[in-house]
Amino acid sequence: MAATKNFGPKRLVVGAHYGVVDFIAQRITAVIMAVYTLVLIVGLLVMPSFSYENWKALFTFHVYALPVGQILATLFFFALAWHAWIGVRDIWMDYVKPTGVRLLLQVLTILWLVGSVVYFAQILWSI
């Protein structure tokens, strides 16, 4: 009986999504970040003067008592963290071959991203 080839064009590809979800998620997060960046640029251009109060108003404006500025900034930062996780995780998976080192780097990346999101939320929502 011949040995089964598990690589190349005739490999069995059942049971995994092979990156489609990550591809779509990274594109969606990129669109969110691009739109928010354009909104910030427009906000900076129409700002009467560059002062702390006006800068703070970019992130804390309300619409009908809803903190829209903070919600949009938080959505942007979550999108940034998710986008970064997908990209950095793929780098670790592609270029770091020892499993233990790769796992350590992935765990450190997760801890760094979660810490960054918590720190961001603490700063933004305490304004």
Side-chain angles (χ1 to χ4, degrees), residues 7-127:
F7 57 90
K10 300 213 181 230
R11 70 183 175 145
L12 185 62
V13 290
V14 176
H17 56 80
Y18 289 96
V20 174
V21 173
D22 294 334
F23 177 84
I24 292 169
Q26 199 153 37
R27 292 335 178 250
I28 291 170
T29 56
V31 168
I32 291 170
M33 292 185 299
V35 168
Y36 187 73
T37 301
L38 290 175
V39 168
L40 276 183
I41 290 171
V42 168
L44 287 171
L45 292 176
V46 300
M47 187 182 294
S49 66
F50 194 75
S51 65
Y52 173 75
E53 291 76 24
N54 290 335
W55 179 252
K56 181 180 167 184
L58 278 176
F59 300 100
T60 59
F61 68 91
H62 289 69
V63 176
Y64 297 114
L66 186 67
V68 175
Q70 291 169 313
I71 291 171
L72 292 176
T74 302
L75 176 66
F76 170 84
F77 206 80
F78 276 117
L80 177 66
W82 192 7
H83 190 90
W85 165 244
I86 293 169
V88 173
R89 185 205 61 206
D90 287 351
I91 290 169
W92 297 147
M93 288 177 14
D94 288 345
Y95 298 109
V96 180
K97 296 304 177 192
T99 306
V101 175
R102 184 172 59 232
L103 181 62
L104 175 67
L105 290 171
Q106 287 177 341
V107 168
L108 291 174
T109 302
I110 290 170
L111 291 174
W112 174 70
L113 288 171
V114 168
S116 297
V117 167
V118 168
Y119 186 61
F120 166 81
Q122 178 186 6
I123 291 171
L124 181 67
W125 290 92
S126 67
I127 295 178

